[in-house]
Amino acid sequence: MFDGQPQEVLGACAALASLEPQYLGEFDTRIALVNWAHAQTLLGNDAQANQVYIAFADGDYGSEVRWPEVIVEDFRILRAAGYVHRNMDFILAIIGAPE
């Protein structure tokens, strides 16, 4: 995504998310879905992205981490790299991210 090609990220994430778990090993398809949502956000497709973000708002990523924390960190990294979109603040408010 950092090479300025979020459209390519969409295809790659969709392909990963469609694979059967036995082919993915430790990879979690939810990671692909969240990255797909990030690409949708950067392309301005807020409605599609928001469906994923909202679906993950109450979920656990692991035993000690929740999805909102993952999304907050991803947005921090994207912003530091110069990728900013108005939908990011909206999503952070929706998922109850800390200020």
Side-chain angles (χ1 to χ4, degrees):
M1 195 161 349
F2 293 110
D3 65 358
Q5 303 295 325
Q7 188 66 41
E8 292 180 15
V9 172
L10 291 179
C13 289
L16 282 171
S18 70
L19 292 175
E20 294 294 324
Q22 68 265 25
Y23 299 116
L24 296 171
E26 295 296 314
F27 185 82
D28 188 332
T29 57
R30 296 175 302 173
I31 296 168
L33 289 172
V34 168
N35 284 321
W36 179 89
H38 296 340
Q40 290 287 13
T41 292
L42 295 178
L43 290 168
N45 301 324
D46 299 350
Q48 293 91 333
N50 293 352
Q51 289 176 359
V52 173
Y53 294 133
I54 292 168
F56 284 84
D58 291 329
D60 291 332
Y61 175 74
S63 61
E64 297 180 18
V65 179
R66 299 191 43 77
W67 275 106
E69 296 172 62
V70 173
I71 294 167
V72 166
E73 179 63 11
D74 286 354
F75 283 0
R76 186 194 65 73
I77 292 167
L78 286 167
R79 285 177 167 158
Y83 295 97
V84 180
H85 190 276
R86 69 185 180 286
N87 196 47
M88 291 177 172
D89 289 332
F90 174 77
I91 287 303
L92 293 175
I94 293 290
I95 66 174
E99 295 292 322

